[in-house]
């Protein structure tokens, strides 16, 4: 079983829509969780950390469910510029990040 | 004022050759990483160095050898290149080891082995 699993999508949504997707992780000892964003042919960049109580950054909301071992990302009022691949990242130990294969979101005009 | 830089950006070479990719960070970070992203977009860690010491060495063929001459540089040398080595290789750095540290990635080196 992969350490981190994501629905690859693609999620095709119109501008202004809300889109949400999850990621599951296998190691219950994982302590830190992140969403990274990767544009086509570019490097990944941190979008936001995910805290136990859930957190919001503008139009982006992240949630963590430790009991079911998943994290989620919700994007409200989607913009064309939100089109990207969103990588779920989990830290199973102090030394490394485990990346999911990414969920592709395409926002259309 | 590039934070993490890699050279070359593109590398096309024949099977069996030896090649190197260089990485430098000017963020003053202590920890650096090499990742491989294959055609399925799966980003997998290969190595990590903290203050020039190897701390992560995932199951990577020993044809791959990282070298860290100082904590701002982490180079990757690959011997006897194979077709399956074709991928995008990303260098990254973080302030320190530890679960909460954000990683900053270089632009990637797209390696094609013919």
């Amino acid at each position: 079983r992969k350490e981190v699993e994501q629905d690859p999508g693609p999620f095709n949504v119109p501008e202004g829509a809300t889109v949400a997707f999850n990621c599951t992780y296998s190691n219950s000892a994982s302590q830190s969780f992140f969403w990274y964003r990767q544009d086509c042919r570019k490097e990944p960049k941190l979008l936001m950390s995910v805290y136990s109580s859930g957190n919001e950054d503008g139009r982006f909301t992240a949630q963590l469910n430790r009991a079911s071992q998943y994290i989620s990302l919700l994007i409200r009022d989607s913009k064309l510029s939100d089109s990207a691949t969103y990588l779920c990242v989990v830290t199973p130990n102090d030394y490394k990040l485990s990346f999911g294969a990414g969920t592709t979101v395409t926002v259309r005009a | 004022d590039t934070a993490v830089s890699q050279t070359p950006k593109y590398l096309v070479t024949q099977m069996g050759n030896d090649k190197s990719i260089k990485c430098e960070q000017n963020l003053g970070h202590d920890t650096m990483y090499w990742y491989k992203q294959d055609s399925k977009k799966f980003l997998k860690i290969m190595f990590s160095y903290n203050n020039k010491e190897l701390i992560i060495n995932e199951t990577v063929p020993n044809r791959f050898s990282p070298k860290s001459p100082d904590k701002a540089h982490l180079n990757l040398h690959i011997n006897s290149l194979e077709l399956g080595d074709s991928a995008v290789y990303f260098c990254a750095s973080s302030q320190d080891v530890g679960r909460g540290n954000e990683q900053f990635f270089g632009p990637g080196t797209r390696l094609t082995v013919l």
Side-chain angles (χ1 to χ4, degrees):
Chain A
R1 186 183 167 190
K2 289 196 178 111
E3 286 182 342
V4 181
E5 301 215 47
Q6 293 184 248
D7 179 347
F11 287 75
N12 293 310
V13 299
E15 265 187 300
T18 295
V19 60
F21 41 89
N22 293 341
C23 131
T24 58
Y25 60 94
S26 60
N27 189 333
S28 59
S30 300
Q31 292 292 322
S32 299
F33 308 88
F34 308 90
W35 283 104
Y36 275 68
R37 172 194 168 128
Q38 186 172 24
D39 293 314
C40 188
R41 300 179 80 86
K42 297 282 190 181
E43 71 273 22
K45 290 183 181 175
L46 179 67
L47 177 67
M48 59 195 300
S49 302
V50 186
Y51 303 122
S52 295
S53 53
N55 50 298
E56 199 172 296
D57 183 359
R59 297 179 294 105
F60 297 83
T61 301
Q63 298 277 357
L64 166 63
N65 186 317
R66 284 192 187 273
S68 301
Q69 292 182 207
Y70 75 85
I71 68 173
S72 64
L73 182 67
L74 182 144
I75 308 173
R76 281 188 307 279
D77 188 23
S78 299
K79 312 284 183 200
L80 294 175
S81 57
D82 295 333
S83 297
T85 297
Y86 292 86
L87 305 173
C88 173
V89 183
V90 170
T91 59
N93 59 48
D94 277 343
Y95 298 108
K96 73 172 199 178
L97 303 185
S98 292
F99 283 77
T103 297
T104 298
V105 172
T106 302
V107 182
R108 61 182 189 274
Chain B
D1 60 344
T2 306
V4 183
S5 59
Q6 293 179 230
T7 53
K9 203 164 180 183
Y10 299 94
L11 188 50
V12 180
T13 188
Q14 300 284 338
M15 264 174 47
N17 284 349
D18 303 339
K19 290 292 178 187
S20 291
I21 308 171
K22 295 188 176 181
C23 177
E24 177 180 359
Q25 54 94 4
N26 63 6
L27 296 166
H29 287 169
D30 285 346
T31 310
M32 295 185 72
Y33 311 81
W34 276 111
Y35 287 88
K36 177 180 179 181
Q37 189 169 43
D38 60 26
S39 57
K40 293 182 180 170
K41 307 300 182 191
F42 193 53
L43 197 67
K44 192 166 182 190
I45 192 162
M46 301 172 69
F47 301 103
S48 174
Y49 273 72
N50 182 248
N51 271 318
K52 302 195 298 172
E53 295 215 10
L54 182 67
I55 56 169
I56 293 175
N57 185 349
E58 293 289 291
T59 309
V60 177
N62 57 16
R63 298 182 294 104
F64 290 78
S65 51
K67 278 197 173 53
S68 182
D70 56 63
K71 70 176 193 177
H73 295 84
L74 180 61
N75 303 323
L76 184 65
H77 188 76
I78 316 170
N79 287 329
S80 304
L81 278 154
E82 299 177 358
L83 293 177
D85 297 333
S86 296
V88 181
Y89 292 84
F90 286 101
C91 176
S93 73
S94 64
Q95 183 71 49
D96 200 346
V97 293
R99 302 180 195 233
N101 280 286
E102 176 182 357
Q103 292 194 7
F104 293 81
F105 285 79
T109 295
R110 190 169 294 272
L111 171 65
T112 304
V113 182
L114 303 173

